[in-house]
Amino acid sequence: MAAADSSSVEFQSGDPEVPWVKFTSMANCIEVLKQSAKPCAVHFIDLSVTLLTPGDLDALCALLTERSDIAVTKLRLAYNALDDEAAPAVLNAVEHCSQSLEYLDLSFNHFSDTGLGFIASGCVTCQQLRAVYFSNNRISDAGVKCLVELCRHNENINACDVSGNEGVSIAASKQLLRALCGVHGEAPPTLIHIEQVATTAADDDADQSGSASSSPNARHPPPKTPLRRTIKTVSYTHLTLPTIYSV
Protein backbone atom coordinates (compact mmCIF):
# COMPACT_ATOMS: atom_id res chain seq x y z
CA MET A 1 0.00 0.00 0.00
CA ALA A 2 1.41 3.38 -0.98
CA ALA A 3 1.67 6.24 1.45
CA ALA A 4 -0.84 9.06 1.22
CA ASP A 5 -0.18 12.40 -0.44
CA SER A 6 1.41 15.24 1.50
CA SER A 7 -0.49 17.21 4.12
CA SER A 8 -2.95 19.92 3.30
CA VAL A 9 -1.63 23.46 3.51
CA GLU A 10 -3.79 24.26 6.53
CA PHE A 11 -1.97 21.64 8.62
CA GLN A 12 1.55 22.94 8.23
CA SER A 13 4.08 23.10 11.09
CA GLY A 14 7.79 22.80 11.60
CA ASP A 15 10.07 23.01 8.58
CA PRO A 16 8.01 23.11 5.34
CA GLU A 17 11.03 22.03 3.27
CA VAL A 18 11.14 18.48 4.66
CA PRO A 19 10.05 15.93 1.99
CA TRP A 20 7.72 13.98 4.27
CA VAL A 21 6.24 10.57 3.62
CA LYS A 22 2.67 11.26 4.78
CA PHE A 23 0.58 8.44 6.20
CA THR A 24 -3.19 8.44 6.70
CA SER A 25 -3.04 6.35 9.87
CA MET A 26 -0.63 4.36 12.00
CA ALA A 27 -1.97 1.17 10.38
CA ASN A 28 -1.06 2.63 6.98
CA CYS A 29 2.42 3.50 8.24
CA ILE A 30 3.09 0.08 9.75
CA GLU A 31 1.89 -1.72 6.63
CA VAL A 32 4.19 0.33 4.39
CA LEU A 33 7.18 -0.15 6.69
CA LYS A 34 6.58 -3.90 6.98
CA GLN A 35 6.44 -4.27 3.19
CA SER A 36 9.55 -2.19 2.60
CA ALA A 37 12.74 -3.87 1.47
CA LYS A 38 15.71 -4.09 3.81
CA PRO A 39 17.28 -1.73 4.63
CA CYS A 40 14.15 0.41 4.81
CA ALA A 41 14.33 3.55 2.62
CA VAL A 42 11.61 5.42 4.56
CA HIS A 43 13.22 7.82 7.02
CA PHE A 44 10.90 10.88 7.17
CA ILE A 45 7.63 9.75 8.81
CA ASP A 46 4.67 12.13 8.97
CA LEU A 47 1.80 10.94 11.17
CA SER A 48 0.19 14.34 11.63
CA VAL A 49 -3.62 14.66 11.68
CA THR A 50 -4.13 10.93 12.22
CA LEU A 51 -5.76 10.92 15.69
CA LEU A 52 -2.92 8.91 17.17
CA THR A 53 -3.37 7.00 20.43
CA PRO A 54 -0.74 5.69 22.84
CA GLY A 55 -1.53 2.23 21.50
CA ASP A 56 -0.62 3.36 17.98
CA LEU A 57 2.75 4.58 19.18
CA ASP A 58 3.34 1.32 21.05
CA ALA A 59 2.65 -0.56 17.80
CA LEU A 60 5.25 1.56 16.00
CA CYS A 61 7.79 0.83 18.75
CA ALA A 62 7.12 -2.89 18.42
CA LEU A 63 7.84 -2.70 14.70
CA LEU A 64 11.02 -0.68 15.25
CA THR A 65 12.19 -3.38 17.66
CA GLU A 66 11.44 -6.08 15.09
CA ARG A 67 12.97 -4.20 12.16
CA SER A 68 16.29 -2.75 13.27
CA ASP A 69 16.95 -1.61 9.68
CA ILE A 70 14.28 1.11 9.97
CA ALA A 71 16.12 4.33 10.84
CA VAL A 72 13.65 7.14 11.52
CA THR A 73 15.47 10.44 11.17
CA LYS A 74 12.46 12.78 11.08
CA LEU A 75 9.22 12.18 12.98
CA ARG A 76 6.16 14.43 12.76
CA LEU A 77 3.29 13.84 15.23
CA ALA A 78 1.64 17.26 14.96
CA TYR A 79 -2.12 17.97 15.08
CA ASN A 80 -3.07 14.84 17.01
CA ALA A 81 -4.46 16.29 20.27
CA LEU A 82 -1.85 14.26 22.15
CA ASP A 83 -1.75 15.13 25.85
CA ASP A 84 0.25 14.21 28.93
CA GLU A 85 -1.30 10.73 29.07
CA ALA A 86 0.33 10.01 25.71
CA ALA A 87 3.72 11.40 26.78
CA PRO A 88 5.14 8.03 28.01
CA ALA A 89 4.26 6.47 24.64
CA VAL A 90 5.91 9.38 22.78
CA LEU A 91 8.94 9.00 25.05
CA ASN A 92 9.10 5.31 24.16
CA ALA A 93 8.96 6.12 20.45
CA VAL A 94 11.70 8.72 20.79
CA GLU A 95 13.92 6.27 22.65
CA HIS A 96 13.40 3.66 19.93
CA CYS A 97 14.66 6.21 17.40
CA SER A 98 17.44 7.58 19.59
CA GLN A 99 20.31 6.47 17.34
CA SER A 100 18.94 8.20 14.24
CA LEU A 101 16.37 10.86 15.19
CA GLU A 102 17.29 14.35 13.95
CA TYR A 103 13.91 16.13 13.91
CA LEU A 104 10.82 15.87 16.14
CA ASP A 105 7.64 17.85 15.50
CA LEU A 106 4.99 17.76 18.26
CA SER A 107 3.32 21.04 17.31
CA PHE A 108 -0.41 21.64 17.81
CA ASN A 109 -0.96 19.08 20.54
CA HIS A 110 -2.04 19.41 24.20
CA PHE A 111 1.18 18.71 26.10
CA SER A 112 1.74 20.58 29.35
CA ASP A 113 5.05 21.05 31.16
CA THR A 114 4.70 17.55 32.65
CA GLY A 115 4.37 15.85 29.27
CA LEU A 116 7.16 17.93 27.80
CA GLY A 117 9.42 16.89 30.68
CA PHE A 118 8.81 13.21 29.91
CA ILE A 119 9.60 13.66 26.24
CA ALA A 120 12.61 15.91 26.79
CA SER A 121 14.17 13.26 29.03
CA GLY A 122 14.13 10.89 26.06
CA CYS A 123 15.49 13.51 23.68
CA VAL A 124 18.60 13.78 25.86
CA THR A 125 19.71 10.40 24.49
CA CYS A 126 19.21 11.48 20.85
CA GLN A 127 22.67 12.75 20.00
CA GLN A 128 21.74 13.36 16.35
CA LEU A 129 18.75 15.54 17.29
CA ARG A 130 18.83 18.97 15.64
CA ALA A 131 15.27 20.33 15.71
CA VAL A 132 12.40 20.13 18.22
CA TYR A 133 9.00 21.74 17.65
CA PHE A 134 6.59 22.26 20.56
CA SER A 135 4.62 25.18 19.11
CA ASN A 136 0.96 25.62 20.06
CA ASN A 137 0.82 23.29 23.03
CA ARG A 138 0.07 24.14 26.68
CA ILE A 139 3.52 24.68 28.07
CA SER A 140 4.79 27.49 30.30
CA ASP A 141 8.14 28.82 31.46
CA ALA A 142 8.67 25.64 33.50
CA GLY A 143 8.53 23.58 30.32
CA VAL A 144 10.92 25.95 28.57
CA LYS A 145 13.43 25.32 31.38
CA CYS A 146 13.39 21.63 30.41
CA LEU A 147 14.13 22.59 26.81
CA VAL A 148 16.93 24.92 27.92
CA GLU A 149 18.58 22.03 29.76
CA LEU A 150 18.06 19.79 26.73
CA CYS A 151 19.73 22.32 24.42
CA ARG A 152 22.64 22.75 26.82
CA HIS A 153 23.09 18.99 27.06
CA ASN A 154 22.75 18.36 23.33
CA GLU A 155 24.74 20.97 21.46
CA ASN A 156 23.58 19.66 18.07
CA ILE A 157 20.10 21.15 18.58
CA ASN A 158 19.82 24.37 16.58
CA ALA A 159 16.05 24.73 16.23
CA CYS A 160 13.56 24.77 19.10
CA ASP A 161 10.13 26.30 18.59
CA VAL A 162 7.76 27.16 21.45
CA SER A 163 5.71 29.80 19.64
CA GLY A 164 1.96 29.82 20.23
CA ASN A 165 2.24 28.78 23.90
CA GLU A 166 0.55 31.55 25.86
CA GLY A 167 2.20 30.49 29.12
CA VAL A 168 5.69 31.18 27.78
CA SER A 169 7.10 34.57 28.72
CA ILE A 170 9.48 36.73 26.72
CA ALA A 171 12.14 36.21 29.40
CA ALA A 172 11.93 32.42 29.11
CA SER A 173 12.08 32.64 25.32
CA LYS A 174 15.23 34.72 25.53
CA GLN A 175 16.75 32.19 27.90
CA LEU A 176 16.05 29.45 25.38
CA LEU A 177 17.53 31.55 22.59
CA ARG A 178 20.71 32.02 24.64
CA ALA A 179 20.92 28.26 25.17
CA LEU A 180 20.57 27.71 21.43
CA CYS A 181 23.20 30.32 20.59
CA GLY A 182 25.66 29.09 23.17
CA VAL A 183 27.16 30.47 26.36
CA HIS A 184 26.99 34.27 26.69
CA GLY A 185 24.96 34.59 23.51
CA GLU A 186 27.73 33.51 21.18
CA ALA A 187 26.71 32.49 17.68
CA PRO A 188 26.64 28.80 16.73
CA PRO A 189 29.61 27.67 14.66
CA THR A 190 27.56 27.57 11.47
CA LEU A 191 25.83 30.30 9.51
CA ILE A 192 22.37 30.78 11.06
CA HIS A 193 19.00 32.01 9.98
CA ILE A 194 16.93 33.67 12.70
CA GLU A 195 13.21 34.28 12.49
CA GLN A 196 12.51 36.92 15.12
CA VAL A 197 9.27 38.38 16.42
CA ALA A 198 9.13 42.14 15.91
CA THR A 199 8.47 42.90 19.60
CA THR A 200 11.68 41.20 20.65
CA ALA A 201 13.94 43.91 19.24
CA ALA A 202 11.93 46.64 20.98
CA ASP A 203 12.01 44.62 24.16
CA ASP A 204 15.81 44.40 23.96
CA ASP A 205 16.01 48.19 23.60
CA ALA A 206 13.79 48.61 26.65
CA ASP A 207 16.05 46.26 28.64
CA GLN A 208 19.14 48.26 27.70
CA SER A 209 17.56 51.63 28.50
CA GLY A 210 16.26 50.29 31.80
CA SER A 211 19.66 49.02 32.88
CA ALA A 212 21.29 52.30 31.88
CA SER A 213 18.86 54.38 33.91
CA SER A 214 19.23 52.19 36.97
CA SER A 215 23.03 52.48 36.86
CA PRO A 216 23.90 55.93 35.49
CA ASN A 217 27.59 55.50 36.26
CA ALA A 218 27.83 52.01 34.78
CA ARG A 219 30.19 51.56 31.89
CA HIS A 220 28.49 51.13 28.54
CA PRO A 221 28.78 47.56 27.28
CA PRO A 222 31.12 46.99 24.34
CA PRO A 223 29.48 46.88 20.92
CA LYS A 224 28.30 43.48 19.87
CA THR A 225 30.44 41.61 17.39
CA PRO A 226 28.54 41.45 14.07
CA LEU A 227 27.17 37.98 13.34
CA ARG A 228 26.82 36.43 9.94
CA ARG A 229 23.08 36.04 10.01
CA THR A 230 19.85 36.93 8.30
CA ILE A 231 16.95 38.23 10.39
CA LYS A 232 13.45 37.83 9.06
CA THR A 233 10.57 39.34 11.02
CA VAL A 234 7.56 37.08 11.44
CA SER A 235 4.47 37.47 13.53
CA TYR A 236 3.05 34.84 15.88
CA THR A 237 -0.16 34.94 17.84
CA HIS A 238 1.82 35.24 21.07
CA LEU A 239 5.33 36.27 20.66
CA THR A 240 8.38 35.01 21.25
CA LEU A 241 10.95 32.64 20.41
CA PRO A 242 13.29 33.39 17.57
CA THR A 243 13.48 30.01 15.85
CA ILE A 244 16.98 29.18 14.67
CA TYR A 245 17.78 27.03 11.67
CA SER A 246 21.28 26.12 10.57
CA VAL A 247 21.84 26.47 6.86
Side-chain angles (χ1 to χ4, degrees):
M1 176 183 253
D5 293 335
S6 42
S7 297
S8 301
V9 173
E10 60 267 26
F11 292 116
Q12 289 185 349
S13 67
D15 185 350
E17 301 302 319
V18 177
W20 293 106
V21 178
K22 178 71 178 76
F23 297 100
T24 57
S25 66
M26 182 61 81
N28 172 216
C29 175
I30 289 177
E31 182 177 354
V32 171
L33 294 178
K34 280 184 175 180
Q35 293 179 1
S36 65
K38 295 183 179 181
C40 181
V42 178
H43 303 295
F44 299 177
I45 294 179
D46 183 356
L47 287 162
S48 61
V49 205
T50 54
L51 298 177
L52 289 177
T53 66
D56 290 331
L57 294 169
D58 290 341
L60 176 61
C61 291
L63 177 61
L64 294 176
T65 300
E66 178 184 338
R67 288 281 303 269
S68 59
D69 62 294
I70 300 175
V72 180
T73 58
K74 292 179 171 58
L75 182 61
R76 184 172 184 246
L77 306 177
Y79 293 97
N80 277 301
L82 296 171
D83 57 18
D84 291 353
E85 291 186 2
V90 176
L91 168 61
N92 193 22
V94 167
E95 289 177 336
H96 274 77
C97 305
S98 62
Q99 299 303 310
S100 57
L101 191 64
E102 300 174 359
Y103 177 113
L104 178 64
D105 185 358
L106 293 168
S107 304
F108 293 91
N109 281 296
H110 298 160
F111 292 114
S112 72
D113 298 331
T114 301
L116 183 151
F118 266 101
I119 298 164
S121 68
C123 291
V124 168
T125 66
C126 300
Q127 293 304 309
Q128 304 302 317
L129 191 62
R130 285 171 167 74
V132 184
Y133 294 88
F134 268 99
S135 63
N136 295 277
N137 275 271
R138 297 174 178 174
I139 64 176
S140 70
D141 288 0
V144 173
K145 288 181 180 179
C146 292
L147 294 176
V148 167
E149 292 305 315
L150 172 62
C151 293
R152 287 174 176 167
H153 179 85
N154 189 340
E155 295 181 355
N156 288 325
I157 296 177
N158 54 24
C160 190
D161 188 0
V162 296
S163 60
N165 288 281
E166 295 186 0
V168 176
S169 68
I170 293 176
S173 296
K174 288 182 177 179
Q175 185 180 16
L176 181 53
L177 176 59
R178 286 193 293 271
L180 284 166
C181 288
V183 181
H184 304 303
E186 295 175 358
T190 56
L191 181 66
I192 60 175
H193 171 187
I194 300 179
E195 289 187 343
Q196 181 170 339
V197 178
T199 55
T200 305
D203 194 63
D204 286 339
D205 293 339
D207 287 346
Q208 292 177 5
S209 63
S211 61
S213 61
S214 60
S215 301
N217 297 322
R219 185 180 61 181
H220 292 290
K224 295 181 180 179
T225 303
L227 302 178
R228 294 193 306 146
R229 66 183 183 183
T230 301
I231 299 180
K232 175 184 175 184
T233 300
V234 293
S235 96
Y236 292 111
T237 302
H238 180 76
L239 117 162
T240 80
L241 178 67
T243 303
I244 300 180
Y245 304 91
S246 65
V247 295

